[in-house]
Amino acid sequence: MNVQNKVVLVTGASKGIGRAIAMGLAAGGAQVAFTYLSSVEKGQALEAELAALGTKAKGYRSDASDFAQAEDLVNQVLADFGRLDAVVNNAGITRDGLLMRMSEQQWDEVIQTNLKSVFNLTKAAIKPMMKAKAGSIVNITSVVGLRGNAGQANYAASKAGIVGFTKSVALELGSRNIRSNAVAPGFIETEMTGALDAKVVEEWANQIPLKRAGKAEDVANAVLFLVSDQSAYITGQVLQVDGGMLT
Ligand SMILES: NC(=O)c1ccc[n+]([C@@H]2O[C@H](COP(=O)([O-])OP(=O)(O)OC[C@H]3O[C@@H](n4cnc5c(N)ncnc54)[C@H](O)[C@@H]3O)[C@@H](O)[C@H]2O)c1
């Protein structure tokens, strides 16, 4: 996958899938702008790790769920890097619970962080992309958004919303040479899934034809493809990276 010199903005890169995407991009020679919520020191440490791979990298402490912060972020990235070729909307959270017990706050937090964040950053990013007449937007959804999951009505709704958003943006902006795709990971070993009950994990694992959980790098590889020009004729798609789970 050729991502050499592309300027790519990745949200939520401090750990898990976001970190693997940022590292994969940097290893492929892309210039990486990334966001994080943790301490400035941790952001600087990742910046140094990415730069050590021989490319330009810069971290921004920015809350993806905040509309105004997304606009500031894009302006800062443009000032620092000169352009923006691709955006990877990765930031996400879970606040699980059966619907009967799910609070309004659990619902709102997940929709705001997982779905509104994608609207925020995409809306800000398409301005420079329209001027450049090129761009790739990659949104991280989930197999849960495609098939639902008991105990995750809020998360499933947010991820299904991302699918509809991704396809709509592809239809609206295809004529401007801006592509919009989603990646739907299945069961990937990260802190997010580390918090799950062992029985739930076993049930999920039993449904995977490839008989293993995915790695963050498996998802990163799909994202790199959708960022690269090798996917130049692909838009409006949801690429499942799930070991065949949803087949
Ligand atoms: N792990 C899986 O099995 C799996 C499966 C399907 C989809 N996903 C999706 O992949 C993405 C990454 O998940 P992960 O497993 O790496 O989770 P993770 O919890 O390890 O990492 C999530 C990242 O998002 C960041 N984040 C959270 N809220 C944020 C906000 N408001 N602003 C900016 N950053 C924020 C966190 O700081 C963290 O860096 C998420 O969108 C998640 O829903 C994960």
Side-chain angles (χ1 to χ4, degrees):
M1 269 91 65
N2 188 359
V3 292
Q4 190 87 33
N5 283 327
K6 290 213 178 274
V7 176
V8 188
L9 172 57
V10 184
T11 63
S14 53
K15 57 183 175 171
I17 293 170
R19 181 185 155 83
I21 293 168
M23 296 294 283
L25 285 166
Q31 300 179 42
V32 183
F34 67 90
T35 72
Y36 61 95
L37 273 184
S38 50
S39 67
V40 173
E41 290 73 28
K42 280 193 180 159
Q44 285 171 343
L46 179 58
E47 219 175 83
E49 262 187 85
L50 294 167
L53 294 169
T55 191
K56 180 170 171 172
K58 187 157 181 174
Y60 304 84
R61 197 150 184 253
S62 182
D63 181 348
S65 67
D66 186 301
F67 185 76
Q69 284 189 39
E71 207 163 79
D72 285 352
L73 172 67
V74 167
N75 288 334
Q76 282 179 49
V77 171
L78 289 173
D80 293 336
F81 290 82
R83 60 177 208 280
L84 181 58
D85 299 314
V87 164
V88 182
N89 283 304
N90 164 76
I93 57 167
T94 50
R95 296 285 183 268
D96 297 350
L98 294 172
L99 185 57
M100 243 168 55
R101 291 196 211 108
M102 186 176 288
S103 67
E104 186 184 3
Q105 191 186 350
Q106 277 172 297
W107 174 268
D108 287 345
E109 276 180 20
V110 167
I111 297 295
Q112 188 92 10
T113 303
N114 295 5
L115 181 56
K116 186 164 181 243
S117 62
V118 177
F119 162 76
N120 293 342
L121 193 56
T122 306
K123 189 165 162 62
I126 60 171
K127 286 178 201 156
M129 287 177 175
M130 281 166 81
K131 262 195 207 158
K133 296 189 174 62
S136 174
I137 293 152
V138 183
N139 301 319
I140 308 299
T141 175
S142 167
V143 291
V144 167
L146 304 177
R147 69 149 242 193
N149 197 25
Q152 289 196 310
N154 51 358
Y155 183 79
S158 73
K159 295 299 187 180
I162 289 177
V163 173
F165 181 83
T166 301
K167 288 174 182 276
S168 304
V169 172
L171 292 170
E172 280 186 31
L173 294 172
S175 62
R176 310 293 185 112
N177 195 30
I178 297 172
R179 300 185 294 112
S180 168
N181 292 289
V183 171
F187 189 83
I188 311 297
E189 280 167 347
T190 66
E191 261 181 49
M192 184 179 273
T193 45
L196 289 174
D197 184 84
K199 205 169 152 252
V200 175
V201 173
E202 200 186 311
E203 274 170 25
W204 275 102
N206 283 337
Q207 300 169 36
I208 303 172
L210 288 182
K211 295 295 167 210
R212 68 166 176 94
K215 295 186 191 318
E217 290 72 21
D218 293 320
V219 181
N221 287 336
V223 171
L224 260 68
F225 170 62
L226 292 171
V227 164
S228 79
D229 293 338
Q230 275 131 320
S231 60
Y233 200 53
I234 298 177
T235 194
Q237 302 305 303
V238 181
L239 178 52
Q240 287 172 222
V241 182
D242 65 354
M245 184 199 285
L246 230 68
T247 302

